[in-house]
Amino acid sequence: MRTTGKIIKYEIRDIARSKFVLFYFVFFLLLTEGLLRFGGGSTKTLISLSNVVLLVIPLMAIIFGAMYLYHSREFTELLLTQPVNRHQLFRGLYLGLAVPLALSYGAGLGLPFLLHGFNAEGDVALLLVMIGSGIFLTFIFTAIAFWISVTYNERVKGLGFSIVLWLFFAVIYDGLVLLVVAWFADYPLEKAVIGFTILNPLDLARILLLLQMDASALMGYTGAVFQRFFGSFWGISIATVALVGWTAIPFWLGLRRFAQKDF
Amino acid sequence: MISIRELHKSFGPLQVLTGVSLAIESGKITAILGPNGSGKTTLIKSILGLVKPDRGVIQIGEQVLNGDCRYREDIGYMPQIGHYPENLSLNDVMTMLQDLRGGKHPTDTQLLEKFRLGKEMDKALGTLSGGTRQKVSAVLAMLFNPKILILDEPTSGLDPVASSIFKDALIEERAAGKTIILTSHIMSEVEELADAVVFLLDGKIRFHGSPTEILQNTSESNLERGIARMMQEAVHP
């Protein structure tokens, strides 16, 4: 674990030099500040933010994650000739990227709210859920990106696949679910739809937010089914467990691959 | 002693090592020779754990390689082409490697001084020339005074001055009892340094012995011609 800690330290130093994380922080800071200042009220701001969060975080995490691992191939090779265990190294590389991304997102979103305050009671909880699910998405899509770039040696292939995967989860998947629902409209599809939701981390994060917002009109088909089927408490619990699985499985696949890889 | 038994490795359909068995003696310089693509680098990287063999056993001293990384504390590696983090300086890398080893290893910076790298210490590694980067690789390989040195074409990018400095350093290391494994295409260098020669072809060891044995076997006057004769005979028997 100590080695992992040291690798995280050196990677954070390297990332800090690349300025990307700073840009990421400033982006969320300005966006939140702008919405709070000109959008009127914390509730509206949070609803507007939710859409941005659900699209931008997975995109940034998956692209920057893949790029970073390709970029730090030299660093990886150097460390592998040293008495460093591959599992420790992979954990260090992963946390050294995911933690700064998650922190700059959380801080970028949180700071303006601390300055401006909230104008409805439920907004504090909503903000916390939003930061929490954004952090989940950061860890999930960084893990997926690492898995992809450990699997494909070619940078272009890896980056291309990352973008396609993001597009699939963010846009195509919902379309496919709607298509299935429309096709089999005569059958009871509730359980199948819940299954579809669990298979997409973006849908899970969206449902966590919507269950918290209590805005059933915005919930869409999957959200409505989820709430009716589980109620709020079980809905949130199941979605959270599924998100943990979505973090652990790609990470484990990447780790296994990394441990066997030839350099 | 490093002993390797029945080592197999293929990359997809390409069989690179097909049953290599080899005992490398301690305290000597062993040169691994062979044409391009004969599996020299793969063999070296297998000892380092950078490449995972399909089958076979590698044993360093008493330690059988099994995924435990601690044996690498005793190995210094100089790659053919050193890839280093571009934004870090040699100073940064040295501090980092020391820190990763828990700071308990004393460092040996003699080579650094001999190469006069002092003024390059704080430059980003990405800005250094190929030859200077090769010197950096050499310095890093010897930094922790390892018992085993593994050098992949160590002098290929060095100028004659640096190359001689480095060869002298290797001879000193051997006198200090270090085990040195190197690959090279420069036969005069092998003749000058190596106590033992391993000739690798198509993933198999075709010859293992002293340089003088090659000369006797092939009745050639120098090592370059002897090796060339061996290569030709192996390809067209």
Side-chain angles (χ1 to χ4, degrees):
Chain A
M1 216 50 227
R2 258 180 51 214
T3 312
T4 308
K6 284 172 185 167
I7 293 165
I8 295 174
K9 182 177 82 185
Y10 286 105
E11 194 185 350
I12 288 178
R13 209 175 282 175
D14 189 40
I15 286 179
R17 279 181 210 183
S18 83
K19 307 258 184 342
F20 179 86
V21 170
L22 186 69
F23 165 77
Y24 194 65
F25 166 71
V26 170
F27 170 77
F28 281 113
L29 190 76
L30 289 181
L31 181 73
T32 312
E33 178 66 25
L35 284 170
L36 276 174
R37 214 167 263 236
F38 304 113
S42 56
T43 315
K44 266 189 184 169
T45 303
L46 282 165
I47 291 175
S48 318
L49 273 175
S50 67
N51 289 312
V52 182
V53 164
L54 290 171
L55 287 179
V56 169
I57 289 185
L59 181 66
M60 286 304 168
I62 204 167
I63 289 189
F64 194 59
M67 261 172 32
Y68 190 78
L69 208 58
Y70 285 117
H71 172 77
S72 58
R73 217 191 136 94
E74 286 89 33
F75 184 69
T76 313
E77 277 177 29
L78 176 67
L79 291 187
L80 281 175
T81 63
Q82 302 296 316
V84 170
N85 179 286
R86 288 198 180 194
H87 287 231
Q88 292 171 337
L89 179 56
F90 191 76
R91 272 202 299 266
L93 287 170
Y94 175 68
L95 292 176
L97 179 62
V99 169
L101 280 183
L103 283 180
S104 54
Y105 158 71
L109 215 64
L111 284 178
F113 278 98
L114 283 182
L115 286 175
H116 289 265
F118 301 90
N119 55 8
E121 211 163 287
D123 285 356
V124 181
L126 182 55
L127 176 69
L128 289 179
V129 170
M130 190 173 290
I131 290 179
S133 51
I135 289 174
F136 258 123
L137 288 177
T138 308
F139 277 87
I140 290 169
F141 280 88
T142 309
I144 293 176
F146 269 41
W147 177 34
I148 291 173
S149 46
V150 168
T151 306
Y152 296 103
N153 277 330
E154 280 171 72
R155 186 184 294 240
V156 178
K157 232 186 214 175
L159 280 177
F161 192 53
S162 303
I163 292 171
V164 169
L165 208 65
W166 170 78
L167 209 63
F168 176 77
F169 281 132
V171 183
I172 300 170
Y173 193 87
D174 281 349
L176 289 178
V177 170
L178 274 181
L179 215 62
V180 169
V181 169
W183 255 332
F184 299 99
D186 298 340
Y187 300 89
L189 274 178
E190 295 189 341
K191 280 183 187 157
V193 167
I194 288 169
F196 290 142
T197 307
I198 287 176
L199 290 177
N200 184 349
L202 270 176
D203 276 351
L204 285 168
R206 185 178 295 134
I207 278 170
L208 271 184
L209 286 177
L210 293 174
L211 288 176
Q212 199 63 43
M213 275 180 195
D214 208 24
S216 45
L218 290 171
M219 247 182 236
Y221 188 68
T222 48
V225 170
F226 223 80
Q227 189 179 35
R228 208 170 69 206
F229 204 79
F230 294 118
S232 281
F233 174 73
W234 281 108
I236 290 174
S237 310
I238 287 174
T240 308
V241 170
L243 283 172
V244 172
W246 262 105
T247 316
I249 292 170
F251 175 77
W252 178 75
L253 287 171
L255 181 69
R256 212 181 51 162
R257 192 107 202 172
F258 187 75
Q260 284 307 319
K261 197 175 159 72
D262 297 318
F263 284 89
Chain B
M1 191 169 82
I2 302 172
S3 72
I4 297 166
R5 286 190 294 280
E6 276 303 301
L7 202 67
H8 288 261
K9 177 68 191 178
S10 52
F11 294 106
L14 188 69
Q15 298 206 319
V16 181
L17 298 178
T18 52
V20 170
S21 297
L22 179 65
I24 294 169
E25 285 178 70
S26 305
K28 290 195 172 172
I29 300 182
T30 303
I32 299 176
L33 309 179
N36 300 328
S38 57
K40 298 184 298 283
T41 300
T42 306
L43 179 61
I44 279 179
K45 285 188 168 179
S46 303
I47 299 173
L48 275 163
L50 286 175
V51 165
K52 301 272 173 181
D54 302 331
R55 270 189 289 143
V57 182
I58 300 174
Q59 193 177 343
I60 297 177
E62 297 299 305
Q63 164 90 45
V64 175
L65 302 202
N66 56 5
D68 188 344
C69 62
R70 271 171 297 179
Y71 77 96
R72 280 199 290 268
E73 285 185 6
D74 295 328
I75 298 184
Y77 171 58
M78 179 172 171
Q80 208 172 97
I81 301 160
H83 296 293
Y84 299 107
E86 288 180 14
N87 297 330
L88 298 184
S89 69
L90 177 55
N91 232 338
D92 294 337
V93 171
M94 279 169 50
T95 323
M96 180 181 79
L97 297 184
Q98 216 165 345
D99 186 28
L100 276 172
R101 289 177 185 235
K104 60 189 170 205
H105 286 256
T107 54
D108 174 4
T109 51
Q110 282 178 38
L111 196 60
L112 189 84
E113 286 141 28
K114 284 182 198 156
F115 277 150
R116 299 175 194 280
L117 280 177
K119 57 183 188 301
E120 319 282 348
M121 290 290 287
D122 296 311
K123 287 186 190 161
L125 289 169
T127 63
L128 299 181
S129 75
T132 312
R133 223 176 298 174
Q134 191 85 343
K135 289 181 197 166
V136 166
S137 296
V139 168
L140 291 178
M142 293 196 178
L143 188 61
F144 296 101
N145 209 2
K147 291 190 192 116
I148 300 169
L149 278 169
I150 299 181
L151 316 162
D152 200 353
E153 299 196 21
T155 55
S156 61
L158 296 180
D159 62 54
V161 177
S163 178
S164 330
I165 291 174
F166 186 61
K167 279 187 274 191
D168 289 343
L170 288 185
I171 290 167
E172 267 176 46
E173 293 292 316
R174 172 176 56 189
K178 304 291 172 60
T179 309
I180 301 170
I181 303 170
L182 59 88
T183 70
S184 180
H185 287 296
I186 306 167
M187 288 307 133
S188 58
E189 178 180 302
V190 172
E191 216 160 6
E192 188 184 339
L193 294 172
D195 304 300
V197 172
V198 174
F199 183 63
L200 202 63
L201 187 74
D202 296 333
K204 273 201 168 59
I205 290 177
R206 302 297 168 113
F207 175 83
H208 183 190
S210 68
T212 34
E213 275 175 70
I214 294 184
L215 299 183
Q216 282 164 6
N217 290 353
T218 56
S219 53
E220 292 283 357
S221 57
N222 63 40
L223 195 63
E224 178 139 35
R225 289 185 180 280
I227 290 285
R229 165 75 60 96
M230 267 173 50
M231 278 190 197
Q232 279 164 350
E233 278 172 6
V235 178
H236 314 283

